[in-house]
Amino acid sequence: DTEVTQTPKHLVMGMTNKKSLKCEQHMGHRAMYWYKQKAKKPPELMFVYSYEKLSINESVPSRFSPECPNSSLLNLHLHALQPEDSALYLCASSQVLLTSGSSYEQYFGPGTRLTVT
Amino acid sequence: AQSVTQLGSHVSVSEGALVLLRCNYSSSVPPYLFWYVQYPNQGLQLLLKYTSAATLVKGINGFEAEFKKSETSFHLTKPSAHMRDAAEYFCAVSDPGYSTLTFGKGTMLLVSP
């Protein structure tokens, strides 16, 4: 099973709302990622979790708050977003690198289409 | 830092024609290279990956790519395009020992009947 699931599929929220995006994988991967993708652009890395610990934060505004409650789940908590935050939010997972001479592919979920009004 | 350049933001082919999507990489060390496809309103799906085991890599849906170190290229090809191949294609690079990907800007493949 190489599936990464994301909920909800679509989300519309106002600038004062608080919402959460969820991501789940059952491939035994210990690295999980959040990406933001604007229309006609490549995905932009936001956060990386390795063994449930935040290892990379690409200078993302604090209105985005990630959480990795266990090895299968990844959440992205949203608060006080701006209209420019409207985008497709993608979750991905991969094995964790154990040696410097390897690299693993990432498996992506279908994404959550977020619209901030 | 590693990077990839995809030549052509749009490529148009007729159904049954050869598909060639170009990707050139820049890396200080032998890289790991990937091609992903994204259909409208979907996530990214891995087509194939290069991990130095073989220079010609076969992927899913009839796609393949050849790693050419002398040209720093990893172009994606398919002998005969299908209408269902119409999608956005991303080339990505990862330095060995790093789990993060650097994506190219993407190439939209348009297939006409």
Side-chain angles (χ1 to χ4, degrees), chain B residues 41-64:
Chain B
N41 298 312
Q42 295 188 28
L44 277 69
Q45 181 182 13
L46 180 68
L47 278 176
L48 49 81
K49 62 179 180 180
Y50 169 74
T51 57
S52 76
T55 56
L56 183 62
V57 182
K58 294 188 183 298
I60 62 171
N61 302 340
F63 285 93
E64 63 181 36

Side-chain angles (χ1 to χ4, degrees), chain A residues 49-110:
Chain A
Y49 273 82
S50 178
Y51 292 104
E52 296 86 69
K53 294 190 187 305
L54 184 64
S55 61
I56 295 177
N57 177 341
E58 293 286 0
S59 303
V60 179
S62 59
R63 56 186 184 268
F64 294 91
S65 176
E67 178 195 21
C68 190
N70 61 53
S71 60
S72 301
L73 292 174
L74 185 66
N75 298 321
L76 185 63
H77 303 297
L78 313 172
H79 174 55
L81 294 192
Q82 303 298 309
E84 59 264 29
D85 297 322
S86 298
L88 181 68
Y89 287 84
L90 295 164
C91 172
S93 70
S94 75
Q95 297 181 54
V96 172
L97 293 166
L98 298 178
T99 66
S100 61
S102 61
S103 183
Y104 294 117
E105 63 272 23
Q106 295 180 21
Y107 292 88
F108 285 80

Side-chain angles (χ1 to χ4, degrees), chain B residues 12-27:
Chain B
S12 295
V13 300
S14 299
E15 195 172 18
L18 171 72
V19 175
L20 171 61
L21 304 182
R22 300 178 187 274
C23 174
N24 289 89
Y25 69 89
S26 172
S27 175

Side-chain angles (χ1 to χ4, degrees), chain A residues 37 97 101-103 105-106, chain B residues 32 36 38 49 94 97-99:
Chain A
Q37 186 180 27
L97 293 166
S102 61
S103 183
E105 63 272 23
Q106 295 180 21
Chain B
Y32 286 82
Y36 283 87
Q38 187 174 31
K49 62 179 180 180
S94 174
Y98 290 87
S99 59

